[in-house]
């Protein structure tokens, strides 16, 4: 599995349907980017300028909301993931 460094988080993003309720197939460029996902791996945390290590707020298994255009898309073992900084995560969904 991927092990992110520093304050990075790897998120598994759910695939969106390409069809509308009426059965119309949408082009890929007209679909909204997903903004929710499940955390599958976290880094060890950020090291502040003072040298103090700041622990991660999110943990594996958390459902999160993140910025629409944040992160880097990755493919590993045939699965699609998004790697982003913890600061790009807006909220943890309960």
């Amino acid at each position: 599995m991927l092990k992110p460094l520093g304050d990075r988080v790897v998120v598994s993003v759910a695939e969106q349907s390409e069809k509308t309720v009426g059965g119309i197939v949408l082009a890929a460029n007209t679909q909204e980017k997903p903004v929710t996902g499940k955390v599958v791996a976290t880094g060890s945390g950020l090291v502040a300028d003072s040298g103090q290590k700041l622990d991660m707020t999110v943990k594996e298994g958390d459902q999160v909301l993140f910025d629409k255009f944040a992160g880097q898309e990755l493919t590993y073992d045939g699965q699609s993931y998004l790697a982003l900084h913890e600061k790009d995560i807006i909220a943890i969904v309960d």
Side-chain angles (χ1 to χ4, degrees):
M1 184 56 196
L2 298 170
K3 180 65 178 167
L5 302 175
D7 72 331
R8 293 189 188 267
V9 177
V10 177
V11 176
S12 174
V13 180
E15 295 293 323
Q16 292 183 321
S17 174
E18 295 181 3
K19 288 186 178 183
T20 63
V21 176
I24 299 171
V25 177
L26 300 174
N29 60 353
T30 62
Q31 295 180 11
E32 289 284 323
K33 285 186 71 171
V35 293
T36 61
K38 181 179 179 182
V39 176
V40 294
T42 62
S44 59
L46 183 66
V47 177
D49 293 335
S50 64
Q52 179 184 7
K53 184 177 172 186
L54 306 173
D55 292 331
M56 299 289 283
T57 305
V58 297
K59 61 185 181 306
E60 291 182 24
D62 284 347
Q63 196 73 18
V64 294
L65 290 170
F66 50 86
D67 288 333
K68 185 181 286 190
F69 297 106
Q72 175 70 38
E73 294 179 7
L74 307 170
T75 302
Y76 180 76
D77 279 346
Q79 294 278 37
S80 295
Y81 299 101
L82 187 67
L84 45 103
H85 290 279
E86 187 179 32
K87 68 180 181 184
D88 294 326
I89 295 174
I90 299 168
I92 299 172
V93 180
D94 284 332

